[in-house]
Amino acid sequence: MKNAHFVVRKVAILGAGVMGAQIAAHMVNANIETVLYELPAETGNLNANVIKAVEQLKKFEPSPLSIKTRAAYIQPANYDQHLELLKDCDVVIEAIAERIDWKQALYEKVAPYLGEQTLFVSNTSGLSINTLAQALPETLRHRFCGVHFFNPPRYMHLVELIPCAQSDNEMLDHLESFLVTYLGKGVIRAKDTPNFIANRIGVFSLLATMHHGQSFGLTFDEVDALTGTLIGRPKSATYRTADVVGLDVLAHVIHTMRDTLPDDHWHSYFEAPDWLRDLIDDGALGQKTKRGVYQKVGKEIQIFDLGRNEYRTAIGEVAEDLKQQLKLGKSSDSIAVMHDSEHKQGQFLWAIHRDLFHYCAVQLESIADNTRDLDLAIRWGFGWKRGPFEIWQNAGWQQIVDWINADIAAGKSMRDTPLPAWVYEIGKQQMQSVHTPQGSYAPLFQSLHKRSTLPVYQRQLYPDRLVGESVDYGETILETDAIRLWHTGDKIAILSFKSKMHTISKAVLNGMQDAIKEAEMNWQAMVIWQTEPPFSAGADLKQATEHITAACREQDAPLFSSSTLEKLLKQFRRSVKSETHNDSEDPVKSDTFLAEKLTEVMVMIEQFQQTSQALRYSMIPTVAAVDGLALGGGCEFVMHCDRTVATLETYIGLVEAGVGLLPAGGGCKEFALRSAQTALEGDPFPQLKKYYQTVAMAELAKSAEQGKALGFLRQADSIIMNRFELLHTAKHQALALAESGYRPPLKSMAIPVAGNTGIATIESMLVNMHEGAFISDHDYLIGKKIAYVMCGGDLTPGSLVDEEWLLELERTAFIELLVTEKTQARIAHTMKTGKPLRN
């Protein structure tokens, strides 16, 4: 095929099972016209099977759809009536069950209906692409390949691209570019070997973990406690991951390895354990049947106990000394800690790493082009923080080689297969590295391979980096302990936060204001982009809380004393209203100290609002580049930038009500302003009511598209699929605004508000919810405060106010909530547990 410009206008998915339907969902997430096929129903509407599958998509959690209304864009079809539709599809993806005979029979059926330029691909987790290709006409095989999406396809970054012998290289390049930009994927080209790269290594690691867990006498919950976040793997660890994948699916993949890899030196381990087969036979398939290795009984999480052959409460724990050594030490020392440990848990961790390193080294040349492809496949497909070769390199290459060989000689390893020669060649090098700034090692060529040079990757200014690769985040313009302003050689200034989770403290606010001033003077535009997600977890609540705590200590009163907090509140009201101090109420020393502490909180809030307003009214365009969480104050900054570029996986919201507060960085003001700007017949309340519910319920948008629906993002804001293209796109948006003769908006001086009628209407709703026990007393108070601010205070409906009026209402209400006992309790609970408190 010789297409200079490859465009995907329409796709078809063959198979409406769980995987096929979710791939279809992700296609419509990306605004791609999609036809979903399934066998015709035996009675009634012949498309009933597809319609049912699409309806099921709306019930999945996490949702395969960026917003539920996307389901309506999936066109149902069946093989009896609609094969003619295939000729108009640019890409057709087969995604039926993992049976070669079924797949080949379908290929023979659909092949005559494919267009002359249609790309035909199979979504398979490990079947031979060359064998599947034999069912296609010779003239079609150059347009055929394997594309392995990982489950769930919306969220998993990895897609393995597997050519057959006749696959056209240009076709593969076109398909890779489409997958990267339009579907947001990390593409790894795999060889046509059983289970390809990620499943081959990932399932071996799972089997090795199960083997060593049993040999060391560890329970399933102990193994999961050890093999999760403690060692840089997902929280689901080993057995919970098996439940998520499906125990039946896992057993199928294991059996595929057993049947297709007879010459693998570790072949004897490719067998589903008896307990796994027993659970499957009993219908315990994992998450999809709500029972597998784990089950939930009421609120209790139970785990299958192999020794008892029954479920019990999950209590697995890690030995405290081992946990501390792994958490406190450098990551490069972790493997040494495991190797040297005398505790069986530490020995177990060394054993699973040793045999993983051993297996990867032996198999690399046959399954992947280089070490980078294997490591990224495991990171993107299984959610590991580091791939096997990265961990090995980080721990000291030759030291690990020596330890593996010693264990092979001692009969401790799973197999005595010698390490391949290339491993020793790396050990002889000064750097002892398979990943370097020049590329990653390819054993077949005995050289370093650079990353792909396809044009699509020029959009990734900072691709996912491996251990050993260098990164240069441009040239510094301005830097403090809290922020860095920098550039990459053009006229766009980039602002990044340095705080943990990119929370917003006084130091961040000071730095931002300085950065905005610098950017206004010397740069065409400014982009806020973090070098790693999230965008921002919101304001640093600890700072505000510490001021209140200090004030209580000064009075030698408990933090949650109602009388003490009421004194704080009275003092604040006096300072706001400039009332004359009454010496008879409180001691002068304490009164002054309380005033100082409340003033510090008020200054921080005002500084927050000033920063938001500076983003809005800067003389240069400001663009927020958002990925991951954008909560509270982070969301308010997004709302005040001129434009936002957000990845689909942006989780954005004004969530302050969840900790007993309200948005006070301009969020309430902004929704009041937007309601006024879009008011029908001058009445802002209908739109304001929707925004109020969003704020009062602390709604979190679980996609950028949902963020638009809730009003956090504007319709003009851009949504992209690949987070590694975020900075590239944001910079282009900023430059376009600058080149169009940008001027900031004029300040709104006459904003019509909903006033006391709006407040009364909302309060009547709150009363009903309170009386029905849907909200607590404190929820009721928070709801009233939010309504008061967003409606503009106790004014006649339609009264005109300016932005400062609304901002002052925000500040006052925020302090009044902050000093209440129950808000303090909510904040303390959230900071300690990470979970909300309902009180």
Side-chain angles (χ1 to χ4, degrees):
M1 58 184 299
K2 297 297 178 184
N3 282 343
H5 186 53
F6 177 71
V7 177
V8 176
R9 295 179 175 85
K10 187 175 184 178
V11 303
I13 311 297
L14 308 182
V18 172
M19 199 64 183
Q22 290 195 73
I23 294 172
H26 196 56
M27 292 291 174
V28 294
N29 288 343
N31 285 332
I32 298 167
E33 189 177 351
T34 303
V35 186
L36 179 61
Y37 283 81
E38 189 47 89
L39 294 169
E42 295 180 0
T43 59
N45 186 339
L46 293 182
N47 286 333
N49 291 332
V50 177
I51 293 170
K52 180 180 178 181
V54 172
E55 284 301 308
Q56 283 294 116
L57 290 172
K58 301 176 185 178
K59 301 175 183 178
F60 283 16
E61 193 62 39
S63 176
L65 299 157
S66 59
I67 195 166
K68 287 185 179 180
T69 54
R70 283 277 164 183
Y73 293 97
I74 300 175
Q75 180 181 349
N78 66 79
Y79 301 120
D80 283 1
Q81 294 179 302
H82 304 117
L83 289 180
E84 288 287 344
L85 296 176
L86 292 174
K87 70 177 185 298
D88 296 325
C89 294
D90 302 291
V91 179
V92 174
I93 302 175
E94 170 272 306
I96 67 171
E98 291 285 88
R99 285 271 302 268
I100 284 184
D101 54 339
W102 290 0
K103 288 178 184 286
Q104 289 183 327
L106 180 61
Y107 294 2
E108 293 174 0
K109 185 172 186 175
V110 303
Y113 296 91
L114 299 176
E116 293 182 1
Q117 298 296 320
T118 300
L119 306 188
F120 187 58
V121 305
S122 173
N123 177 67
T124 173
S125 61
L127 298 180
S128 170
I129 302 303
N130 282 292
T131 302
L132 291 173
Q134 298 308 307
L136 295 170
E138 188 74 35
T139 55
L140 182 57
R141 293 177 191 173
H142 70 288
R143 291 184 276 131
F144 176 72
C145 67
V147 172
H148 178 205
F149 286 87
F150 273 65
N151 190 25
R154 171 184 162 185
Y155 300 96
M156 296 306 294
H157 189 60
L158 177 65
V159 166
E160 290 175 314
L161 182 60
I162 313 100
C164 69
Q166 294 96 337
S167 295
D168 181 84
N169 286 330
E170 186 181 21
M171 177 271 290
L172 295 170
D173 290 347
H174 286 323
L175 190 55
E176 180 168 351
S177 299
F178 166 72
L179 291 166
V180 168
T181 289
Y182 294 98
L183 296 186
K185 298 306 175 186
V187 175
I188 297 295
R189 296 205 186 186
K191 298 181 180 182
D192 187 20
T193 54
N195 286 356
F196 313 129
I197 301 174
N199 274 349
R200 178 77 172 270
I201 300 302
V203 173
F204 172 80
S205 177
L206 198 75
L207 289 170
T209 300
M210 291 178 177
H211 165 75
H212 286 301
Q214 193 165 351
S215 65
F216 279 99
L218 303 179
T219 61
F220 291 166
D221 44 348
E222 266 189 290
V223 169
D224 271 5
L226 287 161
T227 58
T229 56
L230 182 70
I231 60 171
R233 299 184 187 179
K235 188 177 180 181
S236 55
T238 300
Y239 291 105
R240 197 178 294 277
T241 294
D243 272 356
V244 172
V245 169
L247 300 188
D248 54 336
V249 174
L250 174 61
H252 173 78
V253 174
I254 294 171
H255 291 159
T256 299
M257 293 177 70
R258 179 196 64 194
D259 296 341
T260 58
L261 293 167
D263 297 328
D264 190 302
H265 292 188
W266 283 260
H267 182 266
S268 61
Y269 293 96
F270 300 163
E271 191 67 52
D274 290 342
W275 62 264
L276 179 60
R277 290 197 295 267
D278 290 343
L279 285 175
I280 294 170
D281 292 342
D282 194 35
L285 305 182
Q287 193 174 73
K288 57 190 171 187
T289 59
K290 298 184 179 179
R291 185 166 69 94
V293 179
Y294 287 88
Q295 69 174 6
K296 191 173 183 180
V297 179
K299 293 185 177 181
E300 183 181 71
I301 303 297
Q302 296 183 342
I303 194 164
F304 186 73
D305 190 302
L306 192 57
R308 302 180 188 178
N309 199 35
E310 63 182 11
Y311 289 91
R312 60 162 173 79
T313 303
I315 55 173
E317 295 180 347
V318 179
E320 192 60 35
D321 59 338
L322 178 64
K323 183 193 300 184
Q324 291 304 314
Q325 283 180 297
L326 290 174
K327 283 189 173 182
L328 298 178
K330 297 179 181 177
S331 61
S332 57
D333 298 332
S334 295
I335 300 298
V337 167
M338 300 170 192
H339 178 269
D340 297 341
S341 175
E342 296 182 0
H343 195 285
K344 68 176 182 178
Q345 290 185 349
Q347 295 167 6
F348 159 77
L349 287 175
W350 160 244
I352 66 173
H353 281 90
R354 174 199 64 217
D355 289 306
L356 174 64
F357 297 154
H358 190 186
Y359 190 77
C360 288
V362 171
Q363 304 299 342
L364 174 64
E365 188 172 336
S366 64
I367 67 173
D369 286 337
N370 53 65
T371 53
R372 175 179 55 249
D373 287 351
L374 188 147
D375 276 349
L376 289 180
I378 291 297
R379 281 170 51 172
W380 294 345
F382 283 81
W384 293 16
K385 187 175 181 181
R386 294 280 179 253
F389 289 121
E390 288 184 283
I391 300 170
W392 186 344
Q393 176 172 316
N394 204 37
W397 188 269
Q398 188 56 47
Q399 178 64 79
I400 297 298
V401 171
D402 293 341
W403 285 343
I404 292 174
N405 281 332
D407 280 5
I408 290 174
K412 294 181 179 179
S413 58
M414 291 169 69
R415 275 290 171 265
D416 59 1
T417 305
L419 287 169
W422 71 265
V423 168
Y424 297 98
E425 291 301 315
I426 297 297
K428 293 175 184 177
Q429 297 172 6
Q430 183 177 358
M431 295 292 292
Q432 294 192 24
S433 300
V434 292
H435 300 304
T436 74
Q438 291 74 41
S440 294
Y441 191 74
L444 181 63
F445 301 97
Q446 298 181 16
S447 62
L448 297 174
H449 270 204
K450 294 182 179 180
R451 288 178 178 262
S452 171
T453 56
L454 280 179
V456 67
Y457 292 111
Q458 294 176 15
R459 299 169 58 85
Q460 298 189 11
L461 304 183
Y462 297 98
D464 207 353
R465 184 166 52 100
L466 294 157
V467 165
E469 290 185 320
S470 59
V471 61
D472 177 15
Y473 290 116
E475 184 175 337
T476 300
I477 301 168
L478 180 154
E479 187 168 15
T480 70
D481 290 340
I483 63 97
R484 178 174 180 252
L485 188 70
W486 52 286
H487 71 95
T488 58
D490 49 28
K491 293 300 291 181
I492 308 297
I494 304 165
L495 175 63
S496 302
F497 301 169
K498 296 164 69 174
S499 52
K500 184 178 180 181
M501 295 287 286
H502 305 129
T503 53
I504 304 161
S505 62
K506 288 186 291 185
V508 169
L509 293 171
N510 286 331
M512 286 185 70
Q513 291 184 9
D514 290 341
I516 293 168
K517 290 174 184 175
E518 163 62 29
E520 279 186 310
M521 288 189 294
N522 298 306
W523 303 87
Q524 285 186 312
M526 187 179 81
V527 172
I528 305 177
W529 176 78
Q530 313 298 1
T531 57
E532 296 287 342
F535 179 79
S536 174
D540 184 353
L541 287 176
K542 186 178 180 181
Q543 280 193 343
T545 305
E546 283 175 344
H547 295 313
I548 306 302
T549 305
C552 292
R553 285 175 182 161
E554 177 69 12
Q555 289 195 340
D556 195 24
L559 176 59
F560 296 141
S561 164
S562 297
S563 59
T564 301
L565 294 171
E566 182 58 29
K567 289 177 182 178
L568 284 167
L569 187 55
K570 285 181 179 179
Q571 176 59 33
F572 168 69
R573 287 170 178 156
R574 283 199 300 271
S575 65
V576 170
K577 297 179 181 178
S578 299
E579 293 180 351
T580 304
H581 174 62
N582 184 345
D583 285 339
S584 64
E585 285 192 285
D586 301 302
V588 174
K589 178 183 176 183
S590 295
D591 212 36
T592 302
F593 188 79
L594 296 178
E596 289 175 354
K597 291 302 168 188
L598 286 170
T599 298
E600 288 181 40
V601 177
M602 177 61 80
V603 167
M604 184 175 177
I605 299 170
E606 287 181 331
Q607 189 181 20
F608 218 120
Q609 293 176 339
Q610 289 165 4
T611 306
S612 294
Q613 293 293 86
L615 290 171
R616 167 61 50 79
Y617 295 111
S618 168
M619 293 306 296
I620 59 170
T622 56
V623 175
V626 187
D627 179 42
L629 296 176
L631 305 181
C635 176
E636 287 172 304
F637 285 162
V638 170
M639 294 173 73
H640 283 80
C641 285
D642 295 296
R643 193 76 82 245
T644 297
V645 179
T647 64
L648 183 72
E649 301 311 321
T650 288
Y651 304 86
I652 184 169
L654 297 173
V655 295
E656 287 86 349
V659 290
L661 296 167
L662 54 74
C668 291
K669 177 272 299 180
E670 188 61 20
F671 272 151
L673 176 59
R674 293 183 185 186
S675 299
Q677 291 171 338
T678 58
L680 296 175
E681 299 179 358
D683 182 7
F685 187 72
Q687 182 60 54
L688 184 72
K689 181 181 176 182
K690 297 177 184 178
Y691 289 147
Y692 169 79
Q693 291 173 332
T694 297
V695 175
M697 295 176 67
E699 285 196 64
L700 176 67
K702 295 183 179 180
S703 72
E705 190 166 5
Q706 194 178 5
K708 284 190 175 185
L710 293 175
F712 302 125
L713 302 177
R714 292 152 296 201
Q715 291 307 307
D717 292 333
S718 300
I719 299 175
I720 68 167
M721 303 299 283
N722 197 316
R723 73 181 185 90
F724 295 107
E725 297 182 357
L726 182 60
L727 181 58
H728 167 89
T729 307
K731 288 178 68 177
H732 277 265
Q733 291 267 5
L735 188 60
L737 287 171
E739 294 290 345
S740 64
Y742 175 83
R743 293 288 301 176
L746 296 173
K747 289 189 177 181
S748 301
M749 307 299 292
I751 306 167
V753 295
N756 48 29
T757 301
I759 295 171
T761 302
I762 292 173
E763 284 192 10
S764 67
M765 294 191 307
L766 292 172
V767 168
N768 291 334
M769 294 178 71
H770 186 251
E771 291 179 349
F774 294 107
I775 60 174
S776 67
D777 291 348
H778 199 53
D779 292 329
Y780 179 73
L781 173 65
I782 297 164
K784 283 175 58 178
K785 294 290 185 186
I786 295 171
Y788 188 86
V789 174
M790 293 183 70
C791 290
D794 188 12
L795 300 175
T796 303
S799 296
L800 302 179
V801 302
D802 59 12
E803 291 184 61
E804 181 52 41
W805 173 272
L806 294 167
L807 291 172
E808 184 174 341
L809 292 179
E810 278 187 0
R811 296 193 294 269
T812 304
F814 183 91
I815 293 290
E816 289 176 342
L817 288 172
L818 179 63
V819 298
T820 62
E821 177 180 348
K822 290 187 174 180
T823 286
Q824 286 286 312
R826 287 191 180 192
I827 292 172
H829 181 83
T830 300
M831 289 196 299
K832 182 177 180 180
T833 67
K835 299 178 181 179
L837 171 69
R838 287 295 305 278
N839 56 1

